[in-house]
Amino acid sequence: MTLRGFTAKRVATCDPARGSLEDAAVVLDGSHIAYVGPRAGAPPGAALVDVGDRVVTPGLVDAHTHACWVGSRHAEYAVRMAGGDYRDIATAGGGILSSYRAVAAATEGALTEALVGRLRRMATLGVTTVEVKSGYGLEPEHERKQLAAIARAAASLDVPAVVPTFLALHALPPGVDRAAYVAHVAEVLVPQVAREARARFVDAYVDANAFTVAEARAVGEAARAHGLGVRLHVGQFADIGGAELAAELGAASVDHVEHISPAGIDALARAGVAAVLLPVASFTLGQPPPPVAALLDAGVSLVVASDANPGTAPTESLPLALALAVRAYGMTPDEALLAATRHAAASLGLSDRGVLRAGARADLVVWDLPHEHAIVQPWGVARAYAVTVAGVDVVSPR
Ligand SMILES: [Zn+2]
């Protein structure tokens, strides 16, 4: 295999042992990184492209998306912006149930095509790994169709790596018995999804007007018993004890946490559960931020994700989420970058990416920007100059 790579004015490794390097080289050997360090130390014979004053970072990792959807929710968005309440819209059959109807009516092929398009656009923004949840199928056959579409999209070339999550409890489909639905999900669907290796994680929406701690516990325990990880939507609208449940289950993450108690934060810190912050959603809903300083003080690992979905986070842009994490949540640009690289990868159980170091996957971005702190500034435009996923160029230098 021919060694190839880049030399650049600046390389932000996101490796705690290295930090950022000036006048450095990143050398790839196929799908992995062979060398990160001073230009002069690069292996002889490597074909190196000099990208000048641009900065190189690890590829971004989007650890929370609902990117497998079809349809459009522009009508309810206008209602919501005019003062309609998200929960009232949901009660009236909008929100998640609106996407459910579109996904239920769609073929697996149509879902796959929509997701592949979104993943390709995410790659142009510098994203090289994307967690994708099911959760709009709601009924078993449509959840399984959505997971099959996610698997097909993941097998496409020229898209980011995909981590599939079975969002087992998102909303109740119309006309089902609540207790029977939860029991079927926990006792039948979770084991089936595990057996078919359709997901690495199981997720549940633990909130007022969503699912209770007891319901999420049943599904989370089933996930753990069948070898799957757990991620939970927690405290978006109210704190009902989801953080404590996540700690009890040994979950990988709690996501949202606009509402979380000091005891919940302690429980996360003690159990090593990451907090995935979703600033696009709280911006769209006009909510105050989660307690970022208290989470940091407690030593909870912070992740920032796009939450890409057709309702509360109408974007595909992780860089936009990072911009809002800095502007609205008070995170520093360095905290935001780690939250979308090393910390995000760790929350997905992926130790082979999110850093630039020898032996890691060759997932990287050359930004058309001079410094990693600039990633949170040019809002709403794609500034990735080159993007490589496992050694494959998905965005090539112009
Ligand atoms: Zn979500």
Side-chain angles (χ1 to χ4, degrees):
M1 185 70 72
T2 320
L3 296 178
R4 68 179 191 107
F6 301 99
T7 55
K9 180 73 172 46
R10 190 168 171 90
V11 173
T13 69
C14 296
D15 181 342
R18 306 285 298 276
S20 293
L21 313 173
E22 297 282 334
D23 297 314
V26 179
V27 181
L28 315 182
D29 183 358
S31 61
H32 287 76
I33 296 174
Y35 172 85
V36 179
R39 285 174 203 243
L48 298 179
V49 174
D50 184 47
V51 297
D53 289 342
R54 299 181 175 91
V55 64
V56 183
T57 72
L60 302 183
V61 176
D62 196 340
H64 182 134
T65 85
H66 303 260
C68 186
W69 57 276
V70 290
S72 178
R73 284 161 53 182
H74 56 277
E76 80 180 56
Y77 186 79
V79 170
R80 194 145 37 79
M81 292 308 105
D85 182 77
Y86 178 66
R87 281 168 291 189
D88 294 342
I89 291 167
T91 307
I96 294 165
L97 288 181
S98 163
S99 293
Y100 149 74
R101 287 190 297 273
V103 165
T107 63
E108 182 187 316
L111 286 170
T112 305
E113 194 181 327
L115 176 54
V116 167
R118 251 170 231 128
L119 291 170
R120 285 196 179 128
R121 292 192 293 274
M122 288 172 164
T124 67
L125 299 166
V127 176
T128 55
T129 295
V130 181
E131 186 259 17
V132 181
K133 301 178 196 294
S134 67
Y136 290 128
L138 301 185
E139 293 167 311
E141 64 175 298
H142 299 308
E143 280 296 310
R144 298 188 68 211
K145 176 177 70 182
Q146 222 188 343
L147 288 168
I150 293 168
R152 270 174 66 182
S156 304
L157 299 174
D158 72 6
V159 298
V162 169
V163 177
T165 292
F166 174 35
L167 177 41
L169 297 180
H170 197 195
L172 278 182
V176 300
D177 174 77
R178 186 177 182 102
Y181 179 79
V182 173
H184 183 78
V185 166
E187 292 162 21
V188 178
L189 275 188
V190 167
Q192 191 170 53
V193 166
R195 210 163 43 239
E196 294 172 354
R198 284 294 201 210
R200 283 193 228 166
F201 293 93
V202 170
D203 195 343
Y205 187 8
V206 189
D207 213 313
N209 292 7
F211 290 90
T212 66
V213 165
E215 289 164 342
R217 179 183 287 116
V219 166
E221 284 179 347
R224 299 300 276 161
H226 289 88
L228 299 175
V230 173
R231 326 179 72 74
L232 296 175
H233 286 66
V234 164
Q236 183 181 16
F237 296 104
D239 177 15
I240 63 165
E244 288 85 344
L245 173 66
E248 175 193 321
L249 290 170
S253 70
V254 291
D255 302 41
H256 279 293
V257 294
E258 282 85 352
H259 300 87
I260 183 171
S261 69
I265 293 173
D266 280 352
L268 298 183
R270 275 200 305 275
V273 181
V276 179
L277 308 182
L278 307 169
V280 177
S282 60
F283 172 76
T284 308
L285 294 167
Q287 295 179 313
V292 171
L295 288 162
L296 281 171
D297 285 350
V300 175
S301 176
L302 295 189
V303 176
V304 172
S306 72
D307 195 20
N309 77 65
T312 54
T315 185
E316 299 165 351
S317 175
L318 181 52
L320 176 63
L322 299 180
L324 287 170
V326 171
R327 175 63 188 86
Y329 283 8
M331 292 175 72
T332 66
D334 283 327
E335 287 166 350
L337 179 62
L338 287 179
T341 54
R342 193 173 84 231
H343 293 178
S347 86
L348 294 170
L350 303 171
S351 57
D352 63 345
R353 66 197 76 176
V355 292
L356 296 177
R357 70 161 72 106
R361 251 172 76 104
D363 288 357
L364 57 90
V365 186
V366 181
W367 298 91
D368 201 6
L369 297 166
H371 195 285
E372 64 273 22
H373 291 176
I375 295 168
V376 300
Q377 282 181 320
W379 291 22
V381 287
R383 296 304 299 271
Y385 175 77
V387 181
T388 300
V389 178
V392 175
D393 295 332
V394 296
V395 176
S396 295
R398 291 175 291 277

